[in-house]
């Protein structure tokens, strides 16, 4: 007779209310050594539920049990000491400290009142090896690492000691394909050791690969908890959003106008190499390429966030060169940037929706240096309604919103500013399927208003869905630009690799990067 699997964690009737209910009547169990996928639209309550389990949020209703005993962790630290760890989207690292110091911050090895650096380094090397970070020096300041490596350091930190339940919140959003594979290998090892994992993600292909069961939340309620094998991706999307979403997208009637922005020979040493392109009024131009190809760096040069070594940008009717020495110059000339790091660079998480929308719009709500609270609220309310931001009102803290609604707040700020050229860097990263289509519809509306959009995305299918043209960067160079109806996924991928193939050609002979 087969022994039934051990229940490690059980949740009964869990609910949480802020200004309004966020989750309600959640019942689920987590078995020893299983991966339970947790998915749903942004705002469905995934992060709230996981934070309750991890001791960061106190539930309003319900009870939990962990290892057969009542589970009411007073804090994240208390939960971690008992073996429940959580890796959040917002990394819990100190950028000025080394990787080793971050890994063992709460248990630094000591000797005669001093930190034992040799032992700290040895322990860090072992911890880093578990997640494939052998090539990184443990003494490197965390702030010098890329965001993907920082994510792996955070995961390594949570695997130190006795880990019985590991909650991973969108763990692969900032990882390369190679890092994702290493993470999945580590998940398999943890399962074999009996560790239970709650895996939160919108990437349904990942869930199908690693999860045994799936729990789907919609509008704060559990609508499904079943074996993963019973559902395909389309069925899961329908469960998540409550409606069917097709693979095709109609952005509505649009009319392209004259060139709104022309980029001429823009370069920054080691990042971007003499890139030139144009984008027209009413057009969506996609920028594709591999990680490290220079996509984000290109947008930062256009926006004046970084200084170009050569080249310039032309704007206006007729087109004329403009000086973009800073982001304030770019905004003054009508260029907006929606950064890929909305939490670090786009929002004040501790402030209200109204305060965040007001950023960049002080000219319209302040008189004599004093902000009018009435104008600020009216401005925010316009964008809450126009963007369909799911919230309790303009006074709600941005930190309490889902990722998709946070992104809408950032976009809403720039809509109020009425910038003719808008640069979007990974606009749907970390956003669920339903919210993605809301963002796509918004992009279509912006083009109907005559704005010119430049969209960087790592999701090639996304670019093929929404763009009129796609320009492909490779090793900092613009290899080719493809028109809608005249591209294939294979052509776009071949162009993305072309710049690196040129670098590899021996005897200084350049290979052609053009893709027919």
């Amino acid at each position: 007779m087969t022994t039934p699997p051990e229940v490690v964690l059980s949740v009964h009737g869990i609910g949480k209310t802020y200004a309004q209910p966020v989750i309600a009547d959640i019942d689920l169990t987590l078995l020893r050594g299983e991966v339970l996928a947790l998915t749903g639209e942004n705002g469905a309550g995934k992060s709230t539920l996981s934070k309750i389990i991890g001791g960061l949020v106190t539930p309003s209703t319900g009870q939990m049990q962990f290892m057969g005993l009542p589970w009411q962790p007073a804090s994240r630290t208390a939960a971690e000491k008992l073996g429940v760890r959580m890796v959040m989207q917002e990394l819990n690292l100190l950028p000025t400290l080394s990787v080793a110091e971050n890994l063992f911050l709460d248990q630094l090895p000591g000797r005669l009142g001093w930190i034992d650096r040799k032992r700290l380094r040895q322990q860090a090397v072992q911890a880093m090896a578990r997640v494939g970070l052998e090539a990184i020096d443990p003494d490197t300041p965390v702030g010098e690492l890329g965001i993907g490596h920082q994510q792996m350091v955070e995961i390594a930190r949570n695997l130190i000691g006795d880990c019985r339940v590991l909650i991973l919140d969108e763990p692969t959003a900032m990882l390369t394909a190679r890092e994702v594979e290493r993470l999945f290998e580590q998940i398999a090892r943890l399962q074999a050791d009996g560790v239970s994992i709650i895996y939160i993600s919108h990437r349904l292909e990942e869930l199908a690969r690693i999860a045994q069961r799936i729990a789907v939340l919609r509008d704060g309620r559990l609508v499904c908890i079943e074996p993963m094998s019973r559902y395909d991706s389309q069925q899961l999307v329908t469960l998540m959003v409550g409606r069917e979403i097709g693979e095709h997208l109609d952005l509505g009637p649009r009319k392209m106008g004259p060139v709104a922005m022309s980029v001429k020979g823009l370069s920054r040493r080691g990042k971007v190499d003499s890139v030139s392109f144009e984008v027209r009024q009413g057009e969506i131009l996609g920028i594709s390429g591999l990680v490290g190809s220079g996509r984000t760096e290109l947008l930062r040069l256009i926006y004046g966030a970084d200084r170009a070594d050569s080249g310039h940008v032309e704007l206006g009717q007729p087109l004329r060169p403009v000086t973009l020495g800073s982001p304030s110059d770019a905004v003054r000339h009508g260029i907006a940037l929606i950064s890929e790091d909305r939490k670090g660079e786009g929002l004040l998480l501790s402030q209200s929706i109204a305060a965040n929308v007001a950023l960049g719009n002080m000219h319209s709500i302040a008189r004599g240096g004093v902000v009018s609270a009435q104008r600020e609220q009216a401005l925010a309310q316009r964008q809450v309604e126009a963007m369909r931001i799911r919230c309790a009102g303009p006074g709600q803290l941005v930190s309490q919103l889902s990722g998709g609604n946070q992104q809408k707040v950032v976009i809403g700020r720039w809509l109020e500013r009425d910038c003719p050229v808008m640069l979007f860097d990974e606009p749907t990263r970390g956003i669920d399927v339903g919210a993605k289509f809301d963002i796509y519809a918004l992009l279509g509306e912006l083009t109907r208003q005559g704005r010119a959009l430049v969209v960087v995305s790592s999701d090639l299918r996304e670019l093929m869905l929404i763009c009129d043209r796609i320009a492909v960067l490779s090793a900092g160079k613009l290899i080719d630009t493809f028109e809608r109806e005249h591209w294939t996924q294979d052509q776009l991928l071949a162009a993305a690799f072309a710049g690196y193939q040129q670098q590899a050609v021996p005897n200084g002979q350049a290979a052609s990067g053009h893709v027919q």
Side-chain angles (χ1 to χ4, degrees):
M1 181 176 178
T2 304
T3 303
E6 177 187 357
V7 174
V8 174
L9 177 76
S10 60
V11 171
H12 302 289
I14 287 293
K16 180 63 181 180
T17 299
Y18 290 109
Q20 56 189 9
V22 179
I23 57 173
D25 298 324
I26 304 295
D27 292 325
L28 58 80
T29 58
L30 180 65
L31 307 179
R32 184 178 186 274
E34 81 162 333
V35 175
L36 174 66
L38 182 60
T39 193
E41 286 193 273
N42 281 96
K46 305 182 301 296
S47 292
T48 299
L49 175 59
S50 60
K51 287 177 180 178
I52 288 173
I53 295 171
L56 284 83
V57 171
T58 303
S60 303
T61 59
Q63 299 85 36
M64 297 183 290
Q65 285 191 327
F66 175 58
M67 306 300 292
L69 299 174
W71 180 243
Q72 296 177 309
S75 65
R76 180 179 185 175
T77 301
E80 288 180 345
K81 287 181 178 178
L82 293 172
V84 177
R85 311 288 179 83
M86 182 175 182
V87 178
M88 303 169 63
Q89 292 185 58
E90 302 83 13
L91 300 182
N92 190 33
L93 300 172
L94 298 176
T96 57
L97 296 184
S98 70
V99 173
E101 289 165 336
N102 271 279
L103 288 173
F104 293 94
L105 190 59
D106 296 330
Q107 44 188 325
L108 292 170
R111 183 180 182 187
L112 302 176
W114 297 86
I115 297 175
D116 188 338
R117 292 287 174 182
K118 183 178 180 180
R119 189 148 60 97
L120 174 62
R121 184 181 177 88
Q122 290 173 342
Q123 292 176 349
V125 167
Q126 293 175 355
M128 294 164 69
R130 296 187 71 185
V131 294
L133 294 178
E134 299 94 334
I136 293 177
D137 187 340
D139 295 327
T140 304
V142 160
E144 295 182 6
L145 300 180
I147 196 71
H149 281 145
Q150 290 186 29
Q151 179 90 16
M152 298 304 287
V153 171
E154 177 80 345
I155 292 171
R157 187 187 73 82
N158 281 278
L159 295 180
I160 295 169
D162 183 20
C163 178
R164 298 188 179 187
V165 172
L166 180 62
I167 304 170
L168 298 174
D169 191 355
E170 295 288 353
T172 63
M174 296 174 287
L175 302 184
T176 66
R178 184 179 180 185
E179 289 168 339
V180 170
E181 289 301 319
R182 286 178 171 171
L183 174 62
F184 288 173
E185 290 172 5
Q186 183 60 36
I187 286 174
R189 293 193 197 102
L190 292 170
Q191 282 187 270
D193 292 340
V195 176
S196 305
I197 297 170
I198 298 175
Y199 191 100
I200 304 171
S201 180
H202 301 122
R203 301 185 178 189
L204 301 181
E205 67 279 3
E206 291 182 1
L207 303 184
R209 179 175 170 184
I210 66 169
Q212 287 74 59
R213 289 190 301 151
I214 186 164
V216 180
L217 291 176
R218 185 171 73 230
D219 297 327
R221 294 184 178 272
L222 191 66
V223 296
C224 160
I225 181 163
E226 297 276 359
M228 187 76 210
S229 58
R230 293 185 183 177
Y231 292 91
D232 61 27
S233 294
Q234 189 56 49
Q235 290 171 323
L236 289 173
V237 169
T238 302
L239 280 172
M240 288 163 59
V241 303
R243 63 187 188 279
E244 291 190 7
I245 294 179
E247 288 296 320
H248 301 284
L249 181 66
D250 181 8
L251 293 179
R254 293 180 294 144
K255 182 179 180 180
M256 291 191 198
V259 173
M261 179 178 72
S262 178
V263 174
K264 300 289 182 96
L266 213 54
S267 296
R268 182 176 173 86
R269 186 174 182 180
K271 302 292 184 181
V272 176
D273 186 358
S274 192
V275 170
S276 300
F277 67 86
E278 294 179 340
V279 58
R280 299 166 61 187
Q281 295 175 2
E283 180 182 27
I284 301 177
L285 173 68
I287 304 289
S288 180
L290 305 177
V291 173
S293 62
R295 300 168 305 172
T296 293
E297 290 81 0
L298 174 61
L299 295 194
R300 288 178 61 86
L301 291 178
I302 296 171
Y303 192 59
D306 293 328
R307 190 65 60 90
D309 296 328
S310 60
H312 64 273
V313 174
E314 297 180 356
L315 298 167
Q317 299 297 326
L319 291 169
R320 64 187 186 280
V322 295
T323 300
L324 300 175
S326 68
S328 60
D329 288 342
V331 173
R332 188 168 62 254
H333 286 293
I335 301 176
L337 171 64
I338 290 81
S339 167
E340 66 173 331
D341 184 7
R342 59 177 173 266
K343 294 183 178 180
E345 299 178 353
L347 293 168
L348 299 176
L349 295 176
S350 62
Q351 299 297 311
S352 66
I353 296 171
N356 275 274
V357 173
L359 290 174
N361 293 292
M362 292 299 176
H363 64 288
S364 66
I365 63 173
R367 295 292 183 272
V370 178
V371 174
S372 166
Q374 185 176 3
R375 291 193 187 96
E376 183 182 71
Q377 288 293 312
L379 179 152
Q381 187 61 43
R382 280 199 302 274
Q383 292 307 323
V384 166
E385 294 173 0
M387 303 289 295
R388 298 198 300 274
I389 298 172
R390 295 171 63 177
C391 62
Q396 185 172 358
L397 298 182
V398 167
S399 60
Q400 296 176 353
L401 301 179
S402 67
N405 286 302
Q406 288 179 350
Q407 186 74 315
K408 290 180 180 180
V409 171
V410 179
I411 298 172
R413 175 196 305 152
W414 293 115
L415 293 189
E416 195 68 31
R417 184 82 189 200
D418 195 26
C419 293
V421 177
M422 301 187 73
L423 313 176
F424 290 84
D425 195 358
E426 302 285 5
T428 63
R429 172 171 284 171
I431 293 177
D432 67 80
V433 174
K436 279 185 180 182
F437 275 74
D438 288 342
I439 298 295
Y440 299 158
L442 172 63
L443 298 182
E445 175 59 30
L446 293 175
T447 59
R448 284 192 291 277
Q449 295 172 11
R451 305 189 198 221
L453 309 185
V454 179
V455 179
V456 164
S457 178
S458 298
D459 188 340
L460 192 54
R461 292 170 298 179
E462 176 173 86
L463 293 179
M464 296 172 72
L465 190 66
I466 66 174
C467 293
D468 301 295
R469 291 185 299 139
I470 298 176
V472 184
L473 287 183
S474 184
K477 297 181 179 181
L478 198 156
I479 299 298
D480 208 343
T481 301
F482 298 84
E483 301 277 347
R484 176 171 282 281
E485 310 298 340
H486 296 286
W487 64 49
T488 66
Q489 185 166 317
D490 287 345
Q491 287 177 318
L492 292 167
L493 288 172
F497 283 99
Y500 303 97
Q501 292 169 348
Q502 289 176 6
Q503 293 176 351
V505 173
N507 302 323
Q509 298 176 353
S512 172
H514 186 78
V515 180
Q516 298 294 333

